Amino acid sequence: MLLYRSAAWFAKGLREYTKSGYESASKDFVPDDLEVQVPGRAFMVTGGNSGIGKATAMEIAKRGGTVHLVCRDHSRAEGARAEIIRESGNQNIFLHIVDLSVPKSIWKFVENFKQEHTLNVLINNAGCMVNKRELTEDGLEKNFATNTLGVYVLTTALIPVLEKEHDPRVITVSSGGMLVQKLNIDDLQSERTAFDGTMVYAQNKAGSLPLAPPGKRQ
């Protein structure tokens, strides 16, 4: 099965992730679809201090949206927030320091958040790839705790907040790498097999979508 999945992933990669794949997909891209303004709508972006999360937060800010950055590293997050404000001219950029591998920290964060803020869109972008098996203070494997359980807990906790607003959305960023692994629901914390951070990450990404609350997927 692993050989089949690797072959399927390789074939998909050649077809979709190469220059020819990009050129083929670009034929259906309509630039005007991105020309939208979102003032009055609030977006939460986890892992918003770098990479895809930061780019997403920047574009939302430029379009007038309120942005809530949820990050783990305070120093890096402050730098990202300052850059987003500077480049977008949007002052409505809020920073929240949360360790998404610790469920109780997530619940506490949401309890405080809903007292002061509204939310229209949650973008689950944060993730990690720890290559050596490491446990959190709760005894959870760290990749699983962050990439799968953290996504589930944050989304579940925020659903009542989202449902109060018009046209709420939950967007969960996945990875094509998940296609190389069949989700093993009997070993979600990678206790029974040799630990490989890359394969664990693929498992986590495969698990983050089916573990989303039923009826609340986007």
Side-chain angles (χ1 to χ4, degrees):
M1 179 61 75
L2 181 58
L3 180 61
Y4 167 77
R5 287 182 174 277
S6 296
W9 165 239
F10 181 72
K12 181 179 177 65
L14 287 178
R15 185 174 66 254
E16 298 181 7
Y17 300 152
T18 57
K19 181 180 179 180
S20 61
Y22 170 81
E23 291 175 345
S24 176
S26 67
K27 294 176 182 178
D28 297 320
F29 177 68
V30 181
D32 287 346
D33 287 346
L34 298 180
E35 296 305 315
V36 297
Q37 297 299 315
V38 289
R41 288 178 67 80
F43 299 75
M44 181 180 293
V45 184
T46 65
N49 63 286
S50 63
I52 293 174
K54 182 180 176 182
T56 300
M58 180 71 78
E59 290 304 315
I60 292 170
K62 288 180 178 179
R63 287 161 172 73
T66 295
V67 179
H68 294 275
L69 301 173
V70 175
C71 308
R72 184 177 58 180
D73 187 297
H74 189 274
S75 178
R76 293 176 61 193
E78 283 285 8
R81 177 177 180 271
E83 182 181 344
I84 292 170
I85 291 174
R86 183 173 63 253
E87 293 194 15
S88 69
N90 187 340
Q91 297 293 321
N92 294 319
I93 313 299
F94 298 88
L95 178 58
H96 311 275
I97 304 302
V98 186
D99 187 341
L100 294 176
S101 71
V102 183
K104 61 185 178 184
S105 295
I106 300 174
W107 285 110
K108 182 178 180 180
F109 157 64
V110 174
E111 282 300 309
N112 292 329
F113 179 89
K114 67 184 183 181
Q115 302 299 323
E116 302 179 12
H117 305 285
T118 60
L119 186 66
N120 298 92
V121 181
L122 166 63
I123 302 176
N124 288 308
N125 164 77
C128 71
M129 187 189 295
V130 180
N131 290 310
K132 182 178 180 181
R133 195 169 193 278
E134 182 180 328
L135 300 182
T136 68
E137 61 185 54
D138 297 312
L140 301 168
E141 193 279 312
K142 194 158 192 176
N143 292 294
F144 167 79
T146 304
N147 301 332
T148 303
L149 184 60
V151 171
Y152 179 81
V153 173
L154 181 63
T155 304
T156 300
L158 283 171
I159 282 177
V161 183
L162 288 160
E163 289 181 329
K164 294 179 180 180
E165 305 305 317
H166 172 68
D167 192 25
R169 304 293 180 94
V170 175
I171 299 168
T172 298
V173 179
S174 189
S175 168
M178 72 179 184
L179 300 176
V180 304
Q181 285 284 293
K182 180 180 180 181
L183 180 61
N184 183 1
I185 60 175
D186 295 321
D187 190 23
L188 292 175
Q189 297 198 61
S190 309
E191 299 173 285
R192 303 176 184 177
T193 56
F195 193 88
D196 182 320
T198 302
M199 294 300 102
V200 169
Y201 179 82
Q203 282 270 328
N204 294 163
K205 288 299 182 179
S208 64
L209 297 182
L211 285 176
K216 303 299 180 183
R217 300 169 192 158
Q218 288 288 342

